[in-house]
Amino acid sequence: MNKKEVNVTLKWVLKNLNPWMILCLFIFGVTSSFEGVLNGYILGYIPRLNVKDGNSLIAFYIAAVLSYLTVYVSLFLFSLLMQKAIQTLNEKIKGIYFRANFASSFNNPNLDSSEVLNNMTSISKQIEEKYFEPLLLLFQSLMTVISSTVVVLMTNPVLGLIYLALSFMSLLPSYMGKEKMKIKTDMWSHSNSNFLAITRDLFAGRFEITNFGVKKLFMQKFDHSLHDEEQRYYQLNAFQYVLQFISWLFAILITLTPIFIGLWMAKNNILGVTVSTILTLTLTADHVVGGFRQLTNFETQIQSTEGIRKISWTETKTDQKIAQPVADNKLVVENLSVKRGDREIFKNLSLSLNENDKMIITGPSGVGKSTLLNAIAGYIPIEMGDVKFGGHKLKYSDFVFISQNIWLFAGTIRENLSLLQNFTDEELVASLKKVGLYKELGSKALDFEIKEQGSNLSGGQAQRLAVARGLLRHKKIFLLDEITSSLDHQNADEVHRLIYQLPSIVIEVAHNFNKKIAQENNVKIFNLAQNTK
């Protein structure tokens, strides 16, 4: 077992992006940040123009057009590059998440593919929207704050500081109400979770609720939970409106007070303040505060993803090579013990099978037959014991594991048999002939198109194709879990006659089996219940 972890941080982002892309993002991020400055600078310059000088007006127009063009082209290129960067990072994070679940699934055989897919899509989307995008936009906002601050202070340091000081007062309402907003948000979130849980429980128990005549009582419980959730939601929104109203009151003072101070300074000819200065500062200072608001918002989003940006998993080393002959083709299970929680499934269980031996593990339902097979394969953790083949610890390359649900994917027989590895057509055809599939699938059996989940193959054909996969790779051990439970007797007997003739060790878990065919092929019967008392 090998413990691995990926922590998606700024360092990880920079490592996975092309250096040229990072450089271009930096350049266009800086130049596009002047969007907030341009309006204030250009409109503030208008009162100083000599409207009677045509050349000055033309020069001003050309300079303004070029400035806006530079900023918006930069903004366009920054946006394109940002999306390309997000594409690259999304590919990386989805790849890591899938590989992590793929590796961890060996310790969780019940892991559902739809669950993995939904989680991968959901988590990667959250990381994209609340980490990658805010991280890239945070830099641009920081540049906007810096460039706007520089322009404000260069225009008039004293009046500029007054504008900035008063503008930052607009942050006070949200800052002062931050803790209370968090409390109200948590209260609504808790209430909403309770409401959803109650809704799920009531719907799941709808038949029992109806049968026992308690529908009215449970509907009252539902209505009470619904009212509580909606009331909490109203209180949350009402508090937001209160903060917004206070912000509007602040806005009156913040907008008009610096203008009044500026006009008074201009009237008294203090520090060279003019109407042009007031226009520039009024239009520019707001971008400083707006930039800070964005920075705070981006920081909050980034922090909210801290938990999901740490992806850890345990990877089991696998040997993908075709099994090679060993000196002693003997499978030995020694003192195998398995627990699930506090429940002991079996203890000190031992088995020994020589080359080409066949064994059926049987016993009542729930005794642990499939658990034993999964423990031998190494698919579930064991409490103690060893499983050895040919003197070494059993590896994935030694065996093929076949259950009643055969994994088949949309593609040709060639692809499903070779599993995208390099085998000659002669090798593939030979393995199909050994399981009697070659003639059944027509003259071009390797090109036969399998539909999704093998819906156009019979159960017996799917089982034999799985056996052919093992034969193709010269597997010396076949572990079979209830592979004929969903087949009719004729197909089940056909599959059993095939597997009992395999030049390999076969261990089959079976609840029902044809005793006559088993006796004819000298198959050992291992009753798990009898051997674990």
Side-chain angles (χ1 to χ4, degrees), residues 281-297:
L281 292 177
T282 301
L283 293 169
T284 307
D286 187 55
H287 288 284
V288 178
V289 180
F292 265 102
R293 283 201 190 96
Q294 286 184 322
L295 288 174
T296 303
N297 182 42

Side-chain angles (χ1 to χ4, degrees), residues 26-38:
F26 175 80
I27 293 171
F28 295 132
V30 171
T31 52
S32 64
S33 70
F34 286 94
E35 181 192 15
V37 173
L38 271 181

Side-chain angles (χ1 to χ4, degrees), residues 104-256:
S104 299
S105 65
F106 288 95
N107 297 319
N108 184 9
N110 296 320
L111 189 63
D112 185 67
S113 60
S114 61
E115 180 185 348
V116 172
L117 183 60
N118 289 337
N119 286 341
M120 179 179 69
T121 304
S122 173
I123 289 175
S124 62
K125 197 65 180 175
Q126 287 183 64
I127 294 176
E128 174 192 336
E129 293 178 347
K130 296 186 177 181
Y131 186 72
F132 293 151
E133 285 184 5
L135 189 66
L136 294 169
L137 291 172
L138 184 144
F139 168 73
Q140 190 184 45
S141 296
L142 180 61
M143 290 298 102
T144 298
V145 169
I146 293 172
S147 61
S148 299
T149 302
V150 169
V151 170
V152 166
L153 295 177
M154 285 179 63
T155 302
N156 189 289
V158 176
L159 187 58
L161 285 172
I162 293 172
Y163 264 88
L164 292 176
L166 288 170
S167 294
F168 276 109
M169 286 179 64
S170 64
L171 299 175
L172 286 176
S174 58
Y175 178 77
M176 292 168 64
K178 185 177 180 181
E179 286 302 316
K180 194 169 183 180
M181 175 65 77
K182 184 179 184 303
I183 292 172
K184 290 190 174 293
T185 302
D186 290 342
M187 290 172 66
W188 170 75
S189 179
H190 178 70
S191 180
N192 184 58
S193 296
N194 285 340
F195 169 67
L196 293 175
I198 288 171
T199 302
R200 284 193 295 266
D201 289 344
L202 264 62
F203 196 79
R206 60 192 184 278
F207 297 113
E208 287 82 357
I209 289 171
T210 302
N211 290 340
F212 288 107
V214 291
K215 179 179 177 181
K216 183 177 180 180
L217 295 174
F218 277 91
M219 286 304 158
Q220 288 175 350
K221 182 179 181 180
F222 170 82
D223 291 338
H224 176 76
S225 176
L226 174 60
H227 174 73
D228 182 67
E229 186 270 338
E230 289 296 331
Q231 179 66 16
R232 298 292 187 189
Y233 189 61
Y234 164 77
Q235 291 171 352
L236 172 63
N237 286 313
F239 185 68
Q240 287 179 320
Y241 288 131
V242 168
L243 290 180
Q244 189 177 55
F245 179 71
I246 296 172
S247 296
W248 291 339
L249 297 179
F250 269 77
I252 297 171
L253 294 175
I254 291 165
T255 303
L256 297 178

Side-chain angles (χ1 to χ4, degrees), residues 6 33 64 67 135 161 239 264 288 325 338 403 463 507 516 529:
V6 171
S33 70
S67 298
L135 189 66
L161 285 172
F239 185 68
W264 179 81
V288 178
V338 172
S403 67
Q463 298 288 0
I507 301 179
K516 181 180 178 182

Side-chain angles (χ1 to χ4, degrees), residues 402-406 408 437 454-466 483-484 486-488 491-492 495:
I402 305 175
S403 67
Q404 57 180 302
N405 298 315
I406 303 302
L408 297 172
L437 272 180
S455 59
N456 57 335
L457 291 182
S458 69
Q461 287 174 327
Q463 298 288 0
R464 282 182 285 156
L465 183 57
I483 65 169
T484 60
S486 59
L487 302 181
D488 58 44
N491 274 315
V495 170

